[in-house]
Amino acid sequence: MEQLLDTAEKIRTMQIRGAGRIAMAASAALRDYAEDLNVHTLEEFNVSIKKAARILVDTRPTAVSLPNAVMLTARHSSITMDEARAEIIANANTFIEHADQALDKMGRIGARRIRDGDVIMTHCNSHAALSVIKTAYDEGKDISVIATESRPRRQGLITIRELNDHGIPTTLIVDSAVRYCMKDVDTVVVGADVVTINGALVNKIGTSQLALAAHEARKNLIAVAETYKFSPRTLYGDLIDIEERSTEEVIDPEILAGLPHVRVKNPAFDITPAEYIDLIITEAGAFPPEMAYIVIKEHLGWDLTDME
Ligand code: RI2
């Protein structure tokens, strides 16, 4: 349990971050927990797995990759404890392998949408979006990137380091420069924390501003999302829970303490409606956002809605 709690804490504090990475880490944590779980009956085993799954799911509320990964790992149809344990271990290994391969596949599929000479704008730090950008570059396309800083946690700095190390010409801008710089952009490429049933994109706060500016300037916006980031729960009308993080990420608490009339809001994600999204790249192909329903139906299965 100690190891699982450690992973949960790392996800909560964002030492492990990115919708895909938290999904893989949670799946691995549950696998290791199941492997070491020392109980006597299948009932006890199931109760413990359910509790552990809850701890992992509760670390961050928004990215659906997390409950999807936990669900895909925890579900089993075994009637003995040993079989259940083996099934969960196999589920996790399959999920992690699939997630790894998905990044490569999305890179190849998405790179076809990038033309030689394109200037790409990206936001925050998305392994999925970077897979597309790096693959296009590796294919010999002469591309450059405009990367946003992504306040308050400045994950844009991770992105520029990664692009720099890959040799890709990159310009860092502050988030408020997005609209001003959009005239220089050909395509916006972003990651995803959730794709809803109606094709809306939930991603790092500020993404909807990029989308609005891209729409206004008639530039394409591509979202890159593994199928496990599609939300079956929104099919049943569930609202997406937008994570509110600590105000300390935005302002020094001592300064805030001296401003009794001021309150700070720190939403971590926002929602971009489907009409601002041209294409969603998944490992199963490139879809218009209107096809989110098909992706959920064919790649996730209905039983994922049973999250409780
Ligand atoms: P990958 C991140 O969330 C960002 O919003 C990013 O766009 C998204 O997850 C997808 O990331 P956070 O964990 O799975 O930084 O593509 O809050 O890496």
Side-chain angles (χ1 to χ4, degrees):
M1 186 48 110
E2 210 173 293
Q3 224 184 330
L4 184 128
L5 290 175
D6 182 55
T7 301
E9 185 60 10
K10 285 188 173 135
I11 294 174
R12 201 183 59 73
T13 55
M14 292 179 70
Q15 289 170 68
I16 302 173
R17 53 148 297 280
R21 293 296 151 112
I22 63 177
M24 286 192 245
S27 181
L30 200 57
R31 174 196 61 201
D32 298 345
Y33 177 73
E35 204 162 15
D36 296 341
L37 189 54
N38 190 11
V39 287
H40 303 291
T41 66
L42 179 65
E43 285 67 36
E44 285 175 294
F45 180 84
N46 285 341
V47 168
S48 299
I49 290 292
K50 208 168 175 176
K51 262 194 207 151
R54 193 77 259 163
I55 290 169
L56 290 165
V57 167
D58 284 346
T59 51
R60 294 193 71 192
T62 302
V64 74
S65 51
L66 185 58
N68 280 355
V70 168
M71 182 69 186
L72 289 165
T73 305
R75 67 178 174 187
H76 71 83
S77 53
S78 307
I79 47 167
T80 71
M81 191 170 73
D82 286 345
E83 278 171 19
R85 199 193 305 274
E87 211 176 318
I88 288 174
I89 292 168
N91 286 345
N93 291 338
T94 304
F95 178 79
I96 293 164
E97 197 189 331
H98 172 94
D100 252 342
Q101 289 171 355
L103 275 175
D104 285 345
K105 284 186 192 159
M106 294 188 301
R108 286 196 299 275
I109 295 168
R112 290 188 202 136
R113 301 289 170 158
I114 307 295
R115 291 153 305 190
D116 194 37
D118 272 1
V119 177
I120 298 159
M121 184 181 277
T122 192
H123 186 52
C124 194
N125 176 255
S126 158
H127 299 85
L130 285 176
S131 176
V132 169
I133 294 167
K134 286 182 193 168
T135 307
Y137 181 79
D138 292 345
E139 286 174 354
K141 289 173 185 161
D142 177 20
I143 57 169
S144 62
V145 176
I146 298 176
T148 59
E149 181 190 20
S150 309
R151 279 275 292 156
R153 295 188 65 104
R154 308 179 84 200
Q155 294 101 323
L157 302 186
I158 309 172
T159 295
I160 59 166
R161 186 167 293 281
E162 218 170 312
L163 290 168
N164 177 73
D165 292 350
H166 211 79
I168 302 175
T170 301
T171 305
L172 174 69
I173 60 169
V174 295
D175 301 328
S176 44
V178 159
R179 188 164 177 239
Y180 177 77
C181 294
M182 194 54 78
K183 59 183 181 311
D184 305 323
V185 171
D186 297 293
T187 305
V188 176
V189 180
V190 292
D193 289 82
V194 187
V195 179
T196 69
I197 185 71
N198 58 351
L201 167 70
V202 182
N203 193 45
K204 184 56 55 188
I205 190 79
T207 302
S208 66
Q209 286 175 166
L210 266 76
L212 208 54
H215 187 73
E216 177 192 46
R218 294 187 163 69
K219 307 294 171 78
N220 281 337
L221 183 139
I222 295 174
V224 194
E226 297 89 334
T227 53
Y228 65 80
K229 292 176 183 166
F230 284 64
S231 172
R233 294 186 297 179
T234 57
L235 183 62
Y236 290 88
D238 283 23
L239 293 173
I240 300 289
D241 188 1
I242 299 292
E243 179 178 5
E244 285 276 347
R245 295 193 62 84
S246 161
T247 59
E248 290 179 22
E249 292 183 349
V250 180
I251 187 171
D252 184 332
E254 278 184 28
I255 296 174
L256 188 61
L259 304 171
H261 303 295
V262 175
R263 64 188 276 267
V264 175
K265 254 182 96 63
N266 185 18
F269 301 97
D270 65 18
I271 303 171
T272 301
E275 56 264 38
Y276 295 101
I277 300 159
D278 294 283
L279 205 61
I280 303 176
I281 304 293
T282 76
E283 75 278 18
F287 299 98
E290 294 75 21
M291 279 179 72
Y293 169 82
I294 306 287
V295 175
I296 290 169
K297 190 167 181 287
E298 292 189 353
H299 294 275
L300 284 173
W302 303 103
D303 50 353
L304 272 171
T305 53
D306 176 27
M307 298 306 302
E308 294 314 312

